[in-house]
Amino acid sequence: GDRGNEMTEVLLERLDSLLADTPSSAGYSNDLNDPEYTLQHEQFHQVTTQPRVNINCIVDTACEIIHSQRLSTLRLCSIGCGDGRFDKNTLLKILERCPDVTISYVGIDINEFSCKQAGETLRGINQVVVNNIIAGDIQQLFAEDIGHFDLVFTVQVFCYLSEVEKGLATALELLNEKGLLLIINPEKTLLNELFNRFWLHENKKHVTFTKPFITQALDKLNVDYTITNNVGIIDLTQCYADNFQTENQKYVLDFIVQSKLAKYPAEVTDICKQYLSLIAFGKPKCLLEHAVNMLLIKPKSQHK
């Protein structure tokens, strides 16, 4: 285990040195409007699944709201809905546990192409009414254009925001009188350390992994709130289909290196291959454990 950690630290140091000499225009390729990339992205999702920890947290929260408030319709808003795959699984699991409820759904994502995909993905689910899927930035949205909700949830979104207070203010305004805001945010891990390098290189800002930045933003907004914090551990071997078979591991590595890092110098991609191989093949095993913070925020006074 210690040897694996030492190796990853050496690789990260070398990567930092290389990126310092690489123009940011080299591009952390993630163009969902590129047909070839879109096909690879589709294949990538066929061999991966979303961590059960995240889905279960949202489902548990939604079902508790339904039962405690005796709701026949759950008003649900997803900030960062992406292409709708994660939300579809989440919606179906809520309905499995609460089969008599109807879900009124709104999705928000900054990527317009993903929003179009989400519209297709979420179409035709029994007992789910998709009211709107909005392409926009949560840091700029206005609640009156969207409505108010029993539950607003967001997974791995706030860690990327440059204006956390604005994003939080909008999210809180989306809540109805008894509404809850669920923020699921990754903790600092060696895998995240790698991708943070490229996010910083391209966008000139850090990804924020710690819990306090949320509570500090709430305090700046003068919001009176209660907060429940749970930490979930994701075993990355559970994020792959077919019992984490070797061919799927290799596919994921190839996808990241060939598609996402395609424009970077060869030495950069070589380092990423070594780094990701250490993680994906469990050397050391601890690299396969990924912690997430699950913050359930309940404002004490809403819509006065």
Side-chain angles (χ1 to χ4, degrees):
D2 291 340
R3 177 59 182 159
N5 285 319
E6 289 173 7
M7 290 175 68
T8 56
E9 288 176 7
V10 169
L11 290 173
L12 281 179
E13 288 177 5
R14 179 57 183 153
L15 184 60
D16 286 337
S17 175
L18 288 169
L19 289 179
D21 297 326
T22 304
S24 59
S25 58
Y28 178 46
S29 179
N30 190 23
D31 185 6
L32 289 175
N33 295 302
D34 179 346
E36 182 178 352
Y37 178 84
T38 301
L39 176 61
Q40 293 170 332
H41 202 256
E42 177 81 18
Q43 293 170 337
F44 171 73
H45 278 291
Q46 287 176 2
V47 299
T48 62
T49 60
Q50 284 290 341
R52 288 191 284 268
V53 169
N54 292 347
I55 292 179
N56 289 344
C57 180
I58 299 166
V59 173
D60 289 345
T61 305
C63 292
E64 174 61 27
I65 291 171
I66 292 167
H67 292 311
S68 64
Q69 299 182 30
R70 298 182 179 180
L71 299 178
S72 58
T73 298
L74 174 70
R75 298 186 181 278
L76 194 64
C77 178
S78 170
I79 298 175
C81 63
D83 62 11
R85 294 170 187 266
F86 177 85
D87 285 6
K88 181 176 181 179
N89 289 336
T90 303
L91 294 170
L92 290 172
K93 287 186 178 296
I94 293 172
L95 291 172
E96 282 180 14
R97 287 177 49 180
C98 301
D100 297 326
V101 77
T102 297
I103 300 175
S104 176
Y105 172 92
V106 170
I108 302 169
D109 199 272
I110 198 168
N111 188 299
E112 186 174 352
F113 185 82
S114 292
C115 287
K116 291 178 181 178
Q117 288 185 306
E120 295 295 321
T121 301
L122 299 171
R123 180 182 297 172
I125 303 175
N126 289 336
Q127 296 169 244
V128 174
V129 178
V130 179
N131 289 312
N132 207 346
I133 297 180
I134 301 162
D137 187 345
I138 189 63
Q139 298 164 112
Q140 300 172 1
L141 287 171
F142 298 95
E144 57 265 30
D145 297 332
I146 303 170
H148 296 99
F149 302 87
D150 304 302
L151 176 62
V152 175
F153 71 88
T154 174
V155 180
Q156 295 191 180
V157 172
F158 273 83
C159 54
Y160 294 109
L161 297 186
S162 58
E163 298 178 284
V164 176
E165 290 91 345
K166 287 186 177 180
L168 267 176
T170 301
L172 291 169
E173 282 295 323
L174 292 171
L175 301 177
N176 62 23
E177 289 184 3
K178 296 182 180 180
L180 299 177
L181 171 61
L182 177 60
I183 298 176
I184 299 177
N185 202 54
E187 278 294 275
K188 187 175 181 178
T189 63
L190 287 170
L191 181 60
N192 284 332
E193 279 290 305
L194 175 67
F195 290 107
N196 195 15
R197 266 32 180 213
F198 292 98
W199 180 260
L200 176 63
H201 184 249
E202 286 295 299
N203 298 281
K204 306 304 179 189
K205 59 185 179 183
H206 286 279
V207 181
T208 310
F209 294 121
T210 59
K211 172 192 170 184
F213 86 102
I214 295 290
T215 53
Q216 289 166 8
L218 286 167
D219 293 338
K220 287 181 181 178
L221 292 171
N222 294 317
V223 175
D224 190 13
Y225 65 91
T226 58
I227 188 167
T228 303
N229 179 208
N230 292 307
V231 176
I233 302 297
I234 298 171
D235 182 347
L236 292 181
T237 62
Q238 296 178 359
C239 298
Y240 297 81
D242 304 320
N243 299 316
F244 202 56
Q245 290 180 2
T246 300
E247 57 266 29
N248 284 347
Q249 294 174 327
K250 289 180 178 178
Y251 182 84
V252 171
L253 297 182
D254 288 345
F255 171 80
I256 291 171
V257 172
Q258 294 175 15
S259 298
K260 287 188 173 291
L261 306 180
K263 298 179 183 178
Y264 278 101
E267 191 174 355
V268 171
T269 57
D270 286 343
I271 287 176
C272 290
K273 285 179 182 178
Q274 295 175 59
Y275 191 96
L276 290 167
S277 294
L278 281 171
I279 295 171
F281 293 96
K283 298 178 181 179
K285 181 72 170 73
C286 66
L287 297 183
L288 290 167
E289 292 186 346
H290 176 61
V292 290
N293 258 320
M294 296 170 283
L295 306 175
L296 186 61
I297 300 166
K298 180 180 181 181
K300 291 182 180 178
S301 56
Q302 299 163 303
H303 305 294
K304 287 187 174 179

